[in-house]
Amino acid sequence: MYIMEGGDEEFDTEEVRKLVKRLDELDPIPLPWKSDEEALKDFWDYCEERQREERIISEMKIKG
């Protein structure tokens, strides 16, 4: 495990991006989606389902 500590003034965003990209090249994690559009659709479907559940819970509280 690689850990590096430093202050904000030493933080280099570009260096972090390079490290993450290199790690992804060495040990890629397959994504469950084939495209960004598919991932976005899944996200909105998830949001709609949570909203539906929240409405059901709210209605139960009002009735109860």
Side-chain angles (χ1 to χ4, degrees):
M1 182 171 167
Y2 177 75
I3 297 176
M4 189 169 121
E5 295 182 21
D8 288 343
E9 66 280 352
E10 297 172 322
F11 185 78
D12 183 353
T13 304
E14 194 56 38
E15 188 64 27
V16 172
R17 287 184 179 148
K18 288 177 187 176
L19 285 170
V20 170
K21 183 178 182 205
R22 184 68 181 134
L23 286 171
D24 192 43
E25 290 168 356
L26 294 171
D27 189 17
I29 299 172
L31 296 176
W33 304 281
K34 295 177 183 161
S35 68
D36 292 345
E37 292 79 17
E38 185 180 348
L40 188 58
K41 181 188 177 309
D42 281 356
F43 170 76
W44 288 120
D45 289 347
Y46 172 83
C47 289
E48 286 179 23
E49 181 63 22
R50 298 296 78 75
Q51 288 176 343
R52 186 183 73 76
E53 290 174 353
E54 289 295 324
R55 282 193 300 274
I56 291 169
I57 291 169
S58 293
E59 290 171 4
M60 290 174 68
K61 287 181 180 178
I62 291 171
K63 292 178 183 176

